[in-house]
Amino acid sequence: MRFEVLTIFPDMVDAAFRTGVTGRASGEGLIELDTVNIRDYSTNSYGSIDGYTYGGGAGMLMQCEPVYQAYEEAERRLDEKRGGSESQKDKKTRVIYMTPVGEVFDQAKAEELAGESELIFLCGHYEGIDERVIDEIVTDRISIGDYVLTGGELSALVVMDAVSRLIPGVLKNDESAEIESFNTGGLLEYPQYTRPDEWHGKRVPDILLSGDHGRVDNYRMHEMRRVTKEYRPDLYRKYMKDRGIY
Ligand code: ADE
């Protein structure tokens, strides 16, 4: 999987991506990140890339041309990396604009995006981006939740992280992507414990020390239902409905 990120803060995106699991996976060549600094494509001598909004209104907008040229640079790099294979040459890469005005990101979307071989992320700033360049290059608009961030970098990192862990080999224990929350038919993960078996007077549930795998599995299923019902009743209702329970 190759990620290209169009941003005015390439260092921020790089630093987070190079840390932890995604950092290790990029070292192993399983995923790859390239950033394009939109500011490098300023059309004036001051290096600015923003302008006032036509029709009035507070704040500045990112202009079309710097964003468009940054996008073209990302497409050029991707083309180069595809190694001139004719079948791949004119491939249309999905371009994802990170914005609160978008489809809310979830695990199903992460799985869909993990099926691509490359993705371009467009990170906005100020009050947004001139709509004309969005119309021209963007294929998907994704929000990571109903709140407003100062820019799209953190949200692009969230999406890249969730997608990366679905790429085979990125997680070391092949099982962990499968058992975790949102991959269990809609139930959340059960609580887990490690040594010592007693801490601050709290004991690990006896069943987990019993070595009886059948009982452990049943107990965990029961806990998944309990946790989901308690913390995310919305997900629990959906889980029950999907099974025709009510
Ligand atoms: N940029 C600003 N707020 C955002 C959000 N909630 N999701 C995605 N990108 C954003």
PDB file of all heavy atoms in Angstrom, residues 98-100 142-152 155, ligand 1:
ATOM      1  N   MET A  98      -9.965  14.905   3.522  1.00  0.00           N
ATOM      2  CA  MET A  98     -10.334  14.762   4.927  1.00  0.00           C
ATOM      3  C   MET A  98     -11.100  16.005   5.357  1.00  0.00           C
ATOM      4  O   MET A  98     -10.551  17.111   5.364  1.00  0.00           O
ATOM      5  CB  MET A  98      -9.068  14.579   5.792  1.00  0.00           C
ATOM      6  CG  MET A  98      -8.217  13.371   5.432  1.00  0.00           C
ATOM      7  SD  MET A  98      -9.106  11.799   5.316  1.00  0.00           S
ATOM      8  CE  MET A  98      -9.933  11.721   6.898  1.00  0.00           C
ATOM      9  N   THR A  99     -12.358  15.834   5.709  1.00  0.00           N
ATOM     10  CA  THR A  99     -13.222  16.976   6.018  1.00  0.00           C
ATOM     11  C   THR A  99     -14.387  16.534   6.907  1.00  0.00           C
ATOM     12  O   THR A  99     -14.879  15.417   6.753  1.00  0.00           O
ATOM     13  CB  THR A  99     -13.801  17.579   4.707  1.00  0.00           C
ATOM     14  OG1 THR A  99     -14.868  18.479   5.018  1.00  0.00           O
ATOM     15  CG2 THR A  99     -14.328  16.530   3.750  1.00  0.00           C
ATOM     16  N   PRO A 100     -14.823  17.435   7.808  1.00  0.00           N
ATOM     17  CA  PRO A 100     -16.007  17.080   8.598  1.00  0.00           C
ATOM     18  C   PRO A 100     -17.247  16.923   7.716  1.00  0.00           C
ATOM     19  O   PRO A 100     -18.229  16.300   8.123  1.00  0.00           O
ATOM     20  CB  PRO A 100     -16.171  18.243   9.573  1.00  0.00           C
ATOM     21  CG  PRO A 100     -15.095  19.222   9.308  1.00  0.00           C
ATOM     22  CD  PRO A 100     -14.246  18.728   8.182  1.00  0.00           C
ATOM     23  N   ILE A 142     -13.977  12.088   3.478  1.00  0.00           N
ATOM     24  CA  ILE A 142     -14.109  11.298   4.710  1.00  0.00           C
ATOM     25  C   ILE A 142     -13.944  12.191   5.934  1.00  0.00           C
ATOM     26  O   ILE A 142     -13.031  13.016   6.010  1.00  0.00           O
ATOM     27  CB  ILE A 142     -13.079  10.144   4.748  1.00  0.00           C
ATOM     28  CG1 ILE A 142     -13.385   9.137   3.641  1.00  0.00           C
ATOM     29  CG2 ILE A 142     -13.077   9.454   6.112  1.00  0.00           C
ATOM     30  CD1 ILE A 142     -12.474   7.931   3.624  1.00  0.00           C
ATOM     31  N   SER A 143     -14.854  11.985   6.899  1.00  0.00           N
ATOM     32  CA  SER A 143     -14.780  12.640   8.206  1.00  0.00           C
ATOM     33  C   SER A 143     -14.411  11.566   9.222  1.00  0.00           C
ATOM     34  O   SER A 143     -14.824  10.409   9.073  1.00  0.00           O
ATOM     35  CB  SER A 143     -16.153  13.227   8.541  1.00  0.00           C
ATOM     36  OG  SER A 143     -16.236  13.509   9.925  1.00  0.00           O
ATOM     37  N   ILE A 144     -13.655  11.924  10.264  1.00  0.00           N
ATOM     38  CA  ILE A 144     -13.397  10.909  11.295  1.00  0.00           C
ATOM     39  C   ILE A 144     -14.335  11.082  12.489  1.00  0.00           C
ATOM     40  O   ILE A 144     -14.224  10.374  13.479  1.00  0.00           O
ATOM     41  CB  ILE A 144     -11.928  10.862  11.755  1.00  0.00           C
ATOM     42  CG1 ILE A 144     -11.482  12.190  12.367  1.00  0.00           C
ATOM     43  CG2 ILE A 144     -11.013  10.450  10.612  1.00  0.00           C
ATOM     44  CD1 ILE A 144     -10.216  12.046  13.233  1.00  0.00           C
ATOM     45  N   GLY A 145     -15.280  11.994  12.399  1.00  0.00           N
ATOM     46  CA  GLY A 145     -16.248  12.138  13.484  1.00  0.00           C
ATOM     47  C   GLY A 145     -16.865  13.519  13.468  1.00  0.00           C
ATOM     48  O   GLY A 145     -16.388  14.416  12.773  1.00  0.00           O
ATOM     49  N   ASP A 146     -17.918  13.675  14.246  1.00  0.00           N
ATOM     50  CA  ASP A 146     -18.679  14.922  14.227  1.00  0.00           C
ATOM     51  C   ASP A 146     -18.083  15.970  15.160  1.00  0.00           C
ATOM     52  O   ASP A 146     -18.662  16.299  16.200  1.00  0.00           O
ATOM     53  CB  ASP A 146     -20.152  14.646  14.537  1.00  0.00           C
ATOM     54  CG  ASP A 146     -20.786  13.837  13.421  1.00  0.00           C
ATOM     55  OD1 ASP A 146     -20.269  13.906  12.281  1.00  0.00           O
ATOM     56  OD2 ASP A 146     -21.770  13.126  13.682  1.00  0.00           O
ATOM     57  N   TYR A 147     -16.917  16.436  14.797  1.00  0.00           N
ATOM     58  CA  TYR A 147     -16.230  17.520  15.492  1.00  0.00           C
ATOM     59  C   TYR A 147     -15.288  18.137  14.467  1.00  0.00           C
ATOM     60  O   TYR A 147     -15.040  17.556  13.418  1.00  0.00           O
ATOM     61  CB  TYR A 147     -15.453  17.016  16.714  1.00  0.00           C
ATOM     62  CG  TYR A 147     -14.723  15.730  16.438  1.00  0.00           C
ATOM     63  CD1 TYR A 147     -13.490  15.734  15.780  1.00  0.00           C
ATOM     64  CD2 TYR A 147     -15.271  14.509  16.791  1.00  0.00           C
ATOM     65  CE1 TYR A 147     -12.831  14.556  15.496  1.00  0.00           C
ATOM     66  CE2 TYR A 147     -14.617  13.315  16.499  1.00  0.00           C
ATOM     67  CZ  TYR A 147     -13.400  13.351  15.857  1.00  0.00           C
ATOM     68  OH  TYR A 147     -12.760  12.181  15.560  1.00  0.00           O
ATOM     69  N   VAL A 148     -14.769  19.334  14.772  1.00  0.00           N
ATOM     70  CA  VAL A 148     -13.933  20.025  13.788  1.00  0.00           C
ATOM     71  C   VAL A 148     -12.500  20.143  14.300  1.00  0.00           C
ATOM     72  O   VAL A 148     -12.263  20.667  15.394  1.00  0.00           O
ATOM     73  CB  VAL A 148     -14.506  21.424  13.472  1.00  0.00           C
ATOM     74  CG1 VAL A 148     -13.668  22.104  12.404  1.00  0.00           C
ATOM     75  CG2 VAL A 148     -15.954  21.302  13.011  1.00  0.00           C
ATOM     76  N   LEU A 149     -11.554  19.626  13.524  1.00  0.00           N
ATOM     77  CA  LEU A 149     -10.128  19.721  13.845  1.00  0.00           C
ATOM     78  C   LEU A 149      -9.542  20.952  13.159  1.00  0.00           C
ATOM     79  O   LEU A 149     -10.188  21.565  12.310  1.00  0.00           O
ATOM     80  CB  LEU A 149      -9.407  18.467  13.359  1.00  0.00           C
ATOM     81  CG  LEU A 149      -9.935  17.150  13.923  1.00  0.00           C
ATOM     82  CD1 LEU A 149      -9.345  15.970  13.162  1.00  0.00           C
ATOM     83  CD2 LEU A 149      -9.614  17.046  15.402  1.00  0.00           C
ATOM     84  N   THR A 150      -8.296  21.281  13.492  1.00  0.00           N
ATOM     85  CA  THR A 150      -7.672  22.460  12.866  1.00  0.00           C
ATOM     86  C   THR A 150      -7.178  22.154  11.457  1.00  0.00           C
ATOM     87  O   THR A 150      -6.865  23.057  10.692  1.00  0.00           O
ATOM     88  CB  THR A 150      -6.490  22.977  13.713  1.00  0.00           C
ATOM     89  OG1 THR A 150      -5.568  21.888  13.893  1.00  0.00           O
ATOM     90  CG2 THR A 150      -6.956  23.491  15.060  1.00  0.00           C
ATOM     91  N   GLY A 151      -7.064  20.873  11.136  1.00  0.00           N
ATOM     92  CA  GLY A 151      -6.609  20.513   9.790  1.00  0.00           C
ATOM     93  C   GLY A 151      -6.837  19.032   9.553  1.00  0.00           C
ATOM     94  O   GLY A 151      -7.252  18.304  10.467  1.00  0.00           O
ATOM     95  N   GLY A 152      -6.533  18.583   8.346  1.00  0.00           N
ATOM     96  CA  GLY A 152      -6.830  17.194   7.982  1.00  0.00           C
ATOM     97  C   GLY A 152      -5.725  16.194   8.302  1.00  0.00           C
ATOM     98  O   GLY A 152      -5.911  14.994   8.096  1.00  0.00           O
ATOM     99  N   SER A 155      -6.566  13.497  10.962  1.00  0.00           N
ATOM    100  CA  SER A 155      -7.590  12.565  10.479  1.00  0.00           C
ATOM    101  C   SER A 155      -7.025  11.659   9.386  1.00  0.00           C
ATOM    102  O   SER A 155      -7.350  10.468   9.333  1.00  0.00           O
ATOM    103  CB  SER A 155      -8.848  13.307  10.028  1.00  0.00           C
ATOM    104  OG  SER A 155      -8.515  14.363   9.183  1.00  0.00           O
TER     105      SER A 155
HETATM  106  N1  ADE B   1     -10.677  18.104   9.243  1.00  0.00           N
HETATM  107  C1  ADE B   1     -11.209  18.883  10.210  1.00  0.00           C
HETATM  108  N2  ADE B   1     -12.086  18.213  10.956  1.00  0.00           N
HETATM  109  C2  ADE B   1     -12.133  16.944  10.444  1.00  0.00           C
HETATM  110  C3  ADE B   1     -12.878  15.777  10.772  1.00  0.00           C
HETATM  111  N3  ADE B   1     -13.759  15.743  11.760  1.00  0.00           N
HETATM  112  N4  ADE B   1     -12.672  14.686  10.022  1.00  0.00           N
HETATM  113  C4  ADE B   1     -11.805  14.701   8.989  1.00  0.00           C
HETATM  114  N5  ADE B   1     -11.081  15.763   8.640  1.00  0.00           N
HETATM  115  C5  ADE B   1     -11.250  16.885   9.353  1.00  0.00           C
END
